[in-house]
PDB file of all heavy atoms in Angstrom:
ATOM      1  N   TYR E 474       1.873  -0.494 -48.282  1.00 83.00           N
ATOM      2  CA  TYR E 474       0.800  -0.559 -49.277  1.00 83.00           C
ATOM      3  C   TYR E 474       0.792   0.734 -50.101  1.00 83.00           C
ATOM      4  O   TYR E 474       0.609   0.705 -51.325  1.00 83.00           O
ATOM      5  CB  TYR E 474      -0.555  -0.758 -48.596  1.00 83.00           C
ATOM      6  CG  TYR E 474      -1.724  -0.679 -49.564  1.00 83.00           C
ATOM      7  CD1 TYR E 474      -2.011  -1.745 -50.417  1.00 83.00           C
ATOM      8  CD2 TYR E 474      -2.509   0.470 -49.638  1.00 83.00           C
ATOM      9  CE1 TYR E 474      -3.069  -1.670 -51.321  1.00 83.00           C
ATOM     10  CE2 TYR E 474      -3.564   0.552 -50.536  1.00 83.00           C
ATOM     11  CZ  TYR E 474      -3.839  -0.513 -51.373  1.00 83.00           C
ATOM     12  OH  TYR E 474      -4.885  -0.428 -52.280  1.00 83.00           O
ATOM     13  N   SER E 475       1.004   1.875 -49.416  1.00 85.00           N
ATOM     14  CA  SER E 475       1.036   3.168 -50.114  1.00 85.00           C
ATOM     15  C   SER E 475       2.217   3.240 -51.068  1.00 85.00           C
ATOM     16  O   SER E 475       2.107   3.775 -52.180  1.00 85.00           O
ATOM     17  CB  SER E 475       1.118   4.308 -49.091  1.00 85.00           C
ATOM     18  OG  SER E 475       0.002   4.295 -48.239  1.00 85.00           O
ATOM     19  N   VAL E 476       3.383   2.706 -50.675  1.00 89.00           N
ATOM     20  CA  VAL E 476       4.553   2.664 -51.567  1.00 89.00           C
ATOM     21  C   VAL E 476       4.223   1.833 -52.814  1.00 89.00           C
ATOM     22  O   VAL E 476       4.562   2.218 -53.952  1.00 89.00           O
ATOM     23  CB  VAL E 476       5.773   2.074 -50.831  1.00 89.00           C
ATOM     24  CG1 VAL E 476       6.932   1.837 -51.811  1.00 89.00           C
ATOM     25  CG2 VAL E 476       6.214   3.006 -49.721  1.00 89.00           C
ATOM     26  N   PHE E 477       3.549   0.702 -52.597  1.00 85.00           N
ATOM     27  CA  PHE E 477       3.133  -0.157 -53.716  1.00 85.00           C
ATOM     28  C   PHE E 477       2.217   0.605 -54.670  1.00 85.00           C
ATOM     29  O   PHE E 477       2.382   0.536 -55.895  1.00 85.00           O
ATOM     30  CB  PHE E 477       2.417  -1.390 -53.156  1.00 85.00           C
ATOM     31  CG  PHE E 477       1.689  -2.193 -54.197  1.00 85.00           C
ATOM     32  CD1 PHE E 477       2.379  -3.061 -55.045  1.00 85.00           C
ATOM     33  CD2 PHE E 477       0.306  -2.068 -54.354  1.00 85.00           C
ATOM     34  CE1 PHE E 477       1.704  -3.790 -56.009  1.00 85.00           C
ATOM     35  CE2 PHE E 477      -0.368  -2.795 -55.318  1.00 85.00           C
ATOM     36  CZ  PHE E 477       0.330  -3.662 -56.150  1.00 85.00           C
ATOM     37  N   VAL E 478       1.272   1.359 -54.110  1.00 81.00           N
ATOM     38  CA  VAL E 478       0.328   2.114 -54.936  1.00 81.00           C
ATOM     39  C   VAL E 478       1.058   3.172 -55.760  1.00 81.00           C
ATOM     40  O   VAL E 478       0.814   3.348 -56.964  1.00 81.00           O
ATOM     41  CB  VAL E 478      -0.762   2.783 -54.055  1.00 81.00           C
ATOM     42  CG1 VAL E 478      -1.579   3.788 -54.853  1.00 81.00           C
ATOM     43  CG2 VAL E 478      -1.672   1.718 -53.474  1.00 81.00           C
ATOM     44  N   VAL E 479       1.979   3.894 -55.122  1.00 86.00           N
ATOM     45  CA  VAL E 479       2.696   4.981 -55.809  1.00 86.00           C
ATOM     46  C   VAL E 479       3.580   4.436 -56.934  1.00 86.00           C
ATOM     47  O   VAL E 479       3.639   5.016 -58.024  1.00 86.00           O
ATOM     48  CB  VAL E 479       3.563   5.779 -54.801  1.00 86.00           C
ATOM     49  CG1 VAL E 479       4.482   6.750 -55.519  1.00 86.00           C
ATOM     50  CG2 VAL E 479       2.671   6.524 -53.829  1.00 86.00           C
ATOM     51  N   LEU E 480       4.230   3.311 -56.700  1.00 87.00           N
ATOM     52  CA  LEU E 480       5.199   2.801 -57.669  1.00 87.00           C
ATOM     53  C   LEU E 480       4.595   1.873 -58.714  1.00 87.00           C
ATOM     54  O   LEU E 480       5.027   1.875 -59.874  1.00 87.00           O
ATOM     55  CB  LEU E 480       6.328   2.061 -56.943  1.00 87.00           C
ATOM     56  CG  LEU E 480       7.208   2.903 -55.993  1.00 87.00           C
ATOM     57  CD1 LEU E 480       8.252   2.020 -55.331  1.00 87.00           C
ATOM     58  CD2 LEU E 480       7.888   4.045 -56.762  1.00 87.00           C
ATOM     59  N   LEU E 481       3.590   1.082 -58.308  1.00 76.00           N
ATOM     60  CA  LEU E 481       3.136   0.017 -59.213  1.00 76.00           C
ATOM     61  C   LEU E 481       1.665   0.063 -59.582  1.00 76.00           C
ATOM     62  O   LEU E 481       1.232  -0.692 -60.453  1.00 76.00           O
ATOM     63  CB  LEU E 481       3.438  -1.348 -58.575  1.00 76.00           C
ATOM     64  CG  LEU E 481       4.919  -1.613 -58.246  1.00 76.00           C
ATOM     65  CD1 LEU E 481       5.044  -2.928 -57.499  1.00 76.00           C
ATOM     66  CD2 LEU E 481       5.763  -1.655 -59.524  1.00 76.00           C
ATOM     67  N   SER E 482       0.867   0.876 -58.919  1.00 70.00           N
ATOM     68  CA  SER E 482      -0.570   0.876 -59.204  1.00 70.00           C
ATOM     69  C   SER E 482      -1.011   2.257 -59.679  1.00 70.00           C
ATOM     70  O   SER E 482      -0.581   3.282 -59.148  1.00 70.00           O
ATOM     71  CB  SER E 482      -1.355   0.494 -57.947  1.00 70.00           C
ATOM     72  OG  SER E 482      -2.742   0.602 -58.190  1.00 70.00           O
ATOM     73  N   GLU E 483      -1.899   2.271 -60.648  1.00 65.00           N
ATOM     74  CA  GLU E 483      -2.385   3.537 -61.175  1.00 65.00           C
ATOM     75  C   GLU E 483      -3.749   3.912 -60.604  1.00 65.00           C
ATOM     76  O   GLU E 483      -4.173   5.060 -60.677  1.00 65.00           O
ATOM     77  CB  GLU E 483      -2.498   3.462 -62.706  1.00 65.00           C
ATOM     78  CG  GLU E 483      -1.162   3.265 -63.386  1.00 65.00           C
ATOM     79  CD  GLU E 483      -1.299   3.213 -64.895  1.00 65.00           C
ATOM     80  OE1 GLU E 483      -2.449   3.326 -65.400  1.00 65.00           O
ATOM     81  OE2 GLU E 483      -0.277   3.066 -65.574  1.00 65.00           O
ATOM     82  N   SER E 484      -4.451   2.934 -59.997  1.00 62.00           N
ATOM     83  CA  SER E 484      -5.820   3.202 -59.541  1.00 62.00           C
ATOM     84  C   SER E 484      -5.976   3.216 -58.024  1.00 62.00           C
ATOM     85  O   SER E 484      -6.973   3.729 -57.506  1.00 62.00           O
ATOM     86  CB  SER E 484      -6.778   2.150 -60.124  1.00 62.00           C
ATOM     87  OG  SER E 484      -6.355   0.844 -59.730  1.00 62.00           O
ATOM     88  N   GLY E 485      -5.041   2.642 -57.284  1.00 62.00           N
ATOM     89  CA  GLY E 485      -5.195   2.533 -55.841  1.00 62.00           C
ATOM     90  C   GLY E 485      -5.027   3.870 -55.113  1.00 62.00           C
ATOM     91  O   GLY E 485      -4.521   4.851 -55.677  1.00 62.00           O
ATOM     92  N   HIS E 486      -5.459   3.887 -53.860  1.00 69.00           N
ATOM     93  CA  HIS E 486      -5.335   5.097 -53.028  1.00 69.00           C
ATOM     94  C   HIS E 486      -4.283   4.854 -51.944  1.00 69.00           C
ATOM     95  O   HIS E 486      -4.288   3.829 -51.269  1.00 69.00           O
ATOM     96  CB  HIS E 486      -6.682   5.424 -52.373  1.00 69.00           C
ATOM     97  CG  HIS E 486      -6.597   6.621 -51.455  1.00 69.00           C
ATOM     98  ND1 HIS E 486      -6.437   7.905 -51.937  1.00 69.00           N
ATOM     99  CD2 HIS E 486      -6.630   6.725 -50.098  1.00 69.00           C
ATOM    100  CE1 HIS E 486      -6.387   8.759 -50.912  1.00 69.00           C
ATOM    101  NE2 HIS E 486      -6.509   8.051 -49.792  1.00 69.00           N
ATOM    102  N   GLN E 487      -3.363   5.804 -51.805  1.00 76.00           N
ATOM    103  CA  GLN E 487      -2.306   5.649 -50.797  1.00 76.00           C
ATOM    104  C   GLN E 487      -2.793   6.111 -49.415  1.00 76.00           C
ATOM    105  O   GLN E 487      -3.721   6.892 -49.310  1.00 76.00           O
ATOM    106  CB  GLN E 487      -1.044   6.406 -51.229  1.00 76.00           C
ATOM    107  CG  GLN E 487      -1.262   7.872 -51.578  1.00 76.00           C
ATOM    108  CD  GLN E 487      -1.340   8.771 -50.384  1.00 76.00           C
ATOM    109  OE1 GLN E 487      -0.865   8.414 -49.302  1.00 76.00           O
ATOM    110  NE2 GLN E 487      -1.969   9.924 -50.534  1.00 76.00           N
ATOM    111  N   TYR E 488      -2.103   5.595 -48.353  1.00 75.00           N
ATOM    112  CA  TYR E 488      -2.482   5.902 -46.967  1.00 75.00           C
ATOM    113  C   TYR E 488      -1.279   6.411 -46.158  1.00 75.00           C
ATOM    114  O   TYR E 488      -1.122   6.125 -44.983  1.00 75.00           O
ATOM    115  CB  TYR E 488      -3.048   4.645 -46.285  1.00 75.00           C
ATOM    116  CG  TYR E 488      -4.391   4.230 -46.806  1.00 75.00           C
ATOM    117  CD1 TYR E 488      -4.489   3.219 -47.749  1.00 75.00           C
ATOM    118  CD2 TYR E 488      -5.555   4.863 -46.364  1.00 75.00           C
ATOM    119  CE1 TYR E 488      -5.731   2.831 -48.229  1.00 75.00           C
ATOM    120  CE2 TYR E 488      -6.797   4.488 -46.850  1.00 75.00           C
ATOM    121  CZ  TYR E 488      -6.875   3.469 -47.793  1.00 75.00           C
ATOM    122  OH  TYR E 488      -8.104   3.097 -48.277  1.00 75.00           O
ATOM    123  N   PHE E 489      -0.427   7.219 -46.845  1.00 85.00           N
ATOM    124  CA  PHE E 489       0.737   7.764 -46.122  1.00 85.00           C
ATOM    125  C   PHE E 489       0.317   8.606 -44.918  1.00 85.00           C
ATOM    126  O   PHE E 489       0.926   8.568 -43.860  1.00 85.00           O
ATOM    127  CB  PHE E 489       1.598   8.608 -47.076  1.00 85.00           C
ATOM    128  CG  PHE E 489       2.449   7.800 -48.012  1.00 85.00           C
ATOM    129  CD1 PHE E 489       2.335   7.963 -49.397  1.00 85.00           C
ATOM    130  CD2 PHE E 489       3.366   6.872 -47.518  1.00 85.00           C
ATOM    131  CE1 PHE E 489       3.114   7.214 -50.262  1.00 85.00           C
ATOM    132  CE2 PHE E 489       4.154   6.128 -48.387  1.00 85.00           C
ATOM    133  CZ  PHE E 489       4.021   6.290 -49.762  1.00 85.00           C
ATOM    134  N   GLU E 490      -0.741   9.406 -45.131  1.00 82.00           N
ATOM    135  CA  GLU E 490      -1.186  10.265 -44.026  1.00 82.00           C
ATOM    136  C   GLU E 490      -1.695   9.436 -42.845  1.00 82.00           C
ATOM    137  O   GLU E 490      -1.563   9.834 -41.682  1.00 82.00           O
ATOM    138  CB  GLU E 490      -2.260  11.257 -44.494  1.00 82.00           C
ATOM    139  CG  GLU E 490      -3.673  10.712 -44.597  1.00 82.00           C
ATOM    140  CD  GLU E 490      -3.920   9.919 -45.893  1.00 82.00           C
ATOM    141  OE1 GLU E 490      -2.963   9.726 -46.670  1.00 82.00           O
ATOM    142  OE2 GLU E 490      -5.062   9.513 -46.118  1.00 82.00           O
ATOM    143  N   ALA E 491      -2.266   8.261 -43.146  1.00 78.00           N
ATOM    144  CA  ALA E 491      -2.791   7.403 -42.075  1.00 78.00           C
ATOM    145  C   ALA E 491      -1.655   6.895 -41.188  1.00 78.00           C
ATOM    146  O   ALA E 491      -1.732   6.961 -39.953  1.00 78.00           O
ATOM    147  CB  ALA E 491      -3.561   6.230 -42.670  1.00 78.00           C
ATOM    148  N   SER E 492      -0.577   6.378 -41.799  1.00 83.00           N
ATOM    149  CA  SER E 492       0.539   5.857 -41.001  1.00 83.00           C
ATOM    150  C   SER E 492       1.233   6.981 -40.239  1.00 83.00           C
ATOM    151  O   SER E 492       1.612   6.815 -39.079  1.00 83.00           O
ATOM    152  CB  SER E 492       1.550   5.132 -41.904  1.00 83.00           C
ATOM    153  OG  SER E 492       2.166   6.029 -42.790  1.00 83.00           O
ATOM    154  N   ALA E 493       1.375   8.150 -40.888  1.00 87.00           N
ATOM    155  CA  ALA E 493       2.061   9.281 -40.248  1.00 87.00           C
ATOM    156  C   ALA E 493       1.271   9.811 -39.053  1.00 87.00           C
ATOM    157  O   ALA E 493       1.821  10.021 -37.957  1.00 87.00           O
ATOM    158  CB  ALA E 493       2.289  10.398 -41.266  1.00 87.00           C
ATOM    159  N   VAL E 494      -0.014  10.037 -39.257  1.00 83.00           N
ATOM    160  CA  VAL E 494      -0.857  10.582 -38.185  1.00 83.00           C
ATOM    161  C   VAL E 494      -1.036   9.547 -37.079  1.00 83.00           C
ATOM    162  O   VAL E 494      -1.059   9.889 -35.890  1.00 83.00           O
ATOM    163  CB  VAL E 494      -2.221  11.034 -38.745  1.00 83.00           C
ATOM    164  CG1 VAL E 494      -3.157  11.429 -37.601  1.00 83.00           C
ATOM    165  CG2 VAL E 494      -2.036  12.199 -39.702  1.00 83.00           C
ATOM    166  N   LEU E 495      -1.139   8.291 -37.473  1.00 79.00           N
ATOM    167  CA  LEU E 495      -1.318   7.230 -36.485  1.00 79.00           C
ATOM    168  C   LEU E 495      -0.134   7.180 -35.510  1.00 79.00           C
ATOM    169  O   LEU E 495      -0.318   7.161 -34.285  1.00 79.00           O
ATOM    170  CB  LEU E 495      -1.472   5.883 -37.187  1.00 79.00           C
ATOM    171  CG  LEU E 495      -1.639   4.651 -36.307  1.00 79.00           C
ATOM    172  CD1 LEU E 495      -2.841   4.804 -35.385  1.00 79.00           C
ATOM    173  CD2 LEU E 495      -1.800   3.420 -37.164  1.00 79.00           C
ATOM    174  N   ILE E 496       1.089   7.171 -36.013  1.00 87.00           N
ATOM    175  CA  ILE E 496       2.273   7.147 -35.149  1.00 87.00           C
ATOM    176  C   ILE E 496       2.326   8.406 -34.292  1.00 87.00           C
ATOM    177  O   ILE E 496       2.653   8.353 -33.101  1.00 87.00           O
ATOM    178  CB  ILE E 496       3.552   7.006 -35.999  1.00 87.00           C
ATOM    179  CG1 ILE E 496       3.618   5.600 -36.607  1.00 87.00           C
ATOM    180  CG2 ILE E 496       4.808   7.264 -35.150  1.00 87.00           C
ATOM    181  CD1 ILE E 496       4.762   5.383 -37.564  1.00 87.00           C
ATOM    182  N   THR E 497       1.980   9.543 -34.883  1.00 86.00           N
ATOM    183  CA  THR E 497       1.975  10.812 -34.138  1.00 86.00           C
ATOM    184  C   THR E 497       0.991  10.756 -32.978  1.00 86.00           C
ATOM    185  O   THR E 497       1.304  11.180 -31.853  1.00 86.00           O
ATOM    186  CB  THR E 497       1.619  11.986 -35.064  1.00 86.00           C
ATOM    187  OG1 THR E 497       2.539  12.021 -36.154  1.00 86.00           O
ATOM    188  CG2 THR E 497       1.673  13.316 -34.304  1.00 86.00           C
ATOM    189  N   LEU E 498      -0.195  10.212 -33.235  1.00 80.00           N
ATOM    190  CA  LEU E 498      -1.214  10.116 -32.180  1.00 80.00           C
ATOM    191  C   LEU E 498      -0.774   9.152 -31.071  1.00 80.00           C
ATOM    192  O   LEU E 498      -1.017   9.408 -29.887  1.00 80.00           O
ATOM    193  CB  LEU E 498      -2.547   9.657 -32.774  1.00 80.00           C
ATOM    194  CG  LEU E 498      -3.319  10.705 -33.579  1.00 80.00           C
ATOM    195  CD1 LEU E 498      -4.516  10.067 -34.275  1.00 80.00           C
ATOM    196  CD2 LEU E 498      -3.771  11.847 -32.692  1.00 80.00           C
ATOM    197  N   VAL E 499      -0.139   8.050 -31.446  1.00 80.00           N
ATOM    198  CA  VAL E 499       0.324   7.085 -30.440  1.00 80.00           C
ATOM    199  C   VAL E 499       1.415   7.711 -29.571  1.00 80.00           C
ATOM    200  O   VAL E 499       1.410   7.566 -28.340  1.00 80.00           O
ATOM    201  CB  VAL E 499       0.841   5.793 -31.112  1.00 80.00           C
ATOM    202  CG1 VAL E 499       1.464   4.867 -30.070  1.00 80.00           C
ATOM    203  CG2 VAL E 499      -0.293   5.082 -31.828  1.00 80.00           C
ATOM    204  N   ILE E 500       2.345   8.437 -30.199  1.00 85.00           N
ATOM    205  CA  ILE E 500       3.396   9.113 -29.442  1.00 85.00           C
ATOM    206  C   ILE E 500       2.794  10.180 -28.539  1.00 85.00           C
ATOM    207  O   ILE E 500       3.205  10.345 -27.377  1.00 85.00           O
ATOM    208  CB  ILE E 500       4.437   9.748 -30.403  1.00 85.00           C
ATOM    209  CG1 ILE E 500       5.249   8.660 -31.094  1.00 85.00           C
ATOM    210  CG2 ILE E 500       5.368  10.703 -29.657  1.00 85.00           C
ATOM    211  CD1 ILE E 500       6.168   7.877 -30.160  1.00 85.00           C
ATOM    212  N   LEU E 501       1.799  10.917 -29.057  1.00 83.00           N
ATOM    213  CA  LEU E 501       1.112  11.925 -28.236  1.00 83.00           C
ATOM    214  C   LEU E 501       0.436  11.248 -27.035  1.00 83.00           C
ATOM    215  O   LEU E 501       0.494  11.750 -25.904  1.00 83.00           O
ATOM    216  CB  LEU E 501       0.074  12.671 -29.068  1.00 83.00           C
ATOM    217  CG  LEU E 501      -0.808  13.686 -28.312  1.00 83.00           C
ATOM    218  CD1 LEU E 501       0.045  14.792 -27.704  1.00 83.00           C
ATOM    219  CD2 LEU E 501      -1.881  14.261 -29.238  1.00 83.00           C
ATOM    220  N   GLY E 502      -0.193  10.103 -27.284  1.00 73.00           N
ATOM    221  CA  GLY E 502      -0.827   9.353 -26.194  1.00 73.00           C
ATOM    222  C   GLY E 502       0.185   8.908 -25.153  1.00 73.00           C
ATOM    223  O   GLY E 502      -0.066   8.984 -23.952  1.00 73.00           O
ATOM    224  N   LYS E 503       1.360   8.449 -25.614  1.00 78.00           N
ATOM    225  CA  LYS E 503       2.436   8.052 -24.696  1.00 78.00           C
ATOM    226  C   LYS E 503       2.886   9.244 -23.854  1.00 78.00           C
ATOM    227  O   LYS E 503       3.180   9.103 -22.655  1.00 78.00           O
ATOM    228  CB  LYS E 503       3.624   7.492 -25.481  1.00 78.00           C
ATOM    229  CG  LYS E 503       3.390   6.139 -26.108  1.00 78.00           C
ATOM    230  CD  LYS E 503       3.444   5.043 -25.055  1.00 78.00           C
ATOM    231  CE  LYS E 503       3.287   3.667 -25.660  1.00 78.00           C
ATOM    232  NZ  LYS E 503       3.216   2.629 -24.613  1.00 78.00           N
ATOM    233  N   TYR E 504       2.965  10.410 -24.484  1.00 82.00           N
ATOM    234  CA  TYR E 504       3.392  11.626 -23.783  1.00 82.00           C
ATOM    235  C   TYR E 504       2.382  12.001 -22.703  1.00 82.00           C
ATOM    236  O   TYR E 504       2.755  12.257 -21.550  1.00 82.00           O
ATOM    237  CB  TYR E 504       3.536  12.757 -24.799  1.00 82.00           C
ATOM    238  CG  TYR E 504       3.900  14.098 -24.203  1.00 82.00           C
ATOM    239  CD1 TYR E 504       5.075  14.276 -23.477  1.00 82.00           C
ATOM    240  CD2 TYR E 504       3.062  15.194 -24.367  1.00 82.00           C
ATOM    241  CE1 TYR E 504       5.413  15.506 -22.938  1.00 82.00           C
ATOM    242  CE2 TYR E 504       3.387  16.428 -23.828  1.00 82.00           C
ATOM    243  CZ  TYR E 504       4.561  16.580 -23.112  1.00 82.00           C
ATOM    244  OH  TYR E 504       4.883  17.801 -22.568  1.00 82.00           O
ATOM    245  N   LEU E 505       1.099  11.999 -23.052  1.00 75.00           N
ATOM    246  CA  LEU E 505       0.055  12.322 -22.070  1.00 75.00           C
ATOM    247  C   LEU E 505      -0.003  11.278 -20.963  1.00 75.00           C
ATOM    248  O   LEU E 505      -0.218  11.595 -19.793  1.00 75.00           O
ATOM    249  CB  LEU E 505      -1.306  12.431 -22.772  1.00 75.00           C
ATOM    250  CG  LEU E 505      -1.452  13.551 -23.804  1.00 75.00           C
ATOM    251  CD1 LEU E 505      -2.808  13.451 -24.503  1.00 75.00           C
ATOM    252  CD2 LEU E 505      -1.293  14.915 -23.144  1.00 75.00           C
ATOM    253  N   GLU E 506       0.218  10.016 -21.342  1.00 70.00           N
ATOM    254  CA  GLU E 506       0.212   8.926 -20.363  1.00 70.00           C
ATOM    255  C   GLU E 506       1.353   9.092 -19.373  1.00 70.00           C
ATOM    256  O   GLU E 506       1.193   8.896 -18.160  1.00 70.00           O
ATOM    257  CB  GLU E 506       0.348   7.592 -21.100  1.00 70.00           C
ATOM    258  CG  GLU E 506       0.318   6.368 -20.203  1.00 70.00           C
ATOM    259  CD  GLU E 506       0.513   5.083 -20.987  1.00 70.00           C
ATOM    260  OE1 GLU E 506      -0.150   4.910 -22.032  1.00 70.00           O
ATOM    261  OE2 GLU E 506       1.339   4.259 -20.548  1.00 70.00           O
ATOM    262  N   ALA E 507       2.538   9.478 -19.863  1.00 75.00           N
ATOM    263  CA  ALA E 507       3.702   9.675 -18.988  1.00 75.00           C
ATOM    264  C   ALA E 507       3.458  10.811 -18.001  1.00 75.00           C
ATOM    265  O   ALA E 507       3.837  10.726 -16.831  1.00 75.00           O
ATOM    266  CB  ALA E 507       4.941   9.967 -19.832  1.00 75.00           C
TER     267      ALA E 507
END
Side-chain angles (χ1 to χ4, degrees):
Y474 174 76
S475 300
V476 172
F477 168 78
V478 169
V479 171
L480 296 179
L481 301 174
S482 175
E483 296 181 0
S484 58
H486 177 71
Q487 53 80 21
Y488 290 99
F489 283 123
E490 81 280 4
S492 66
V494 173
L495 179 57
I496 290 175
T497 303
L498 285 172
V499 174
I500 290 292
L501 175 61
K503 289 284 183 185
Y504 177 60
L505 296 175
E506 182 182 313

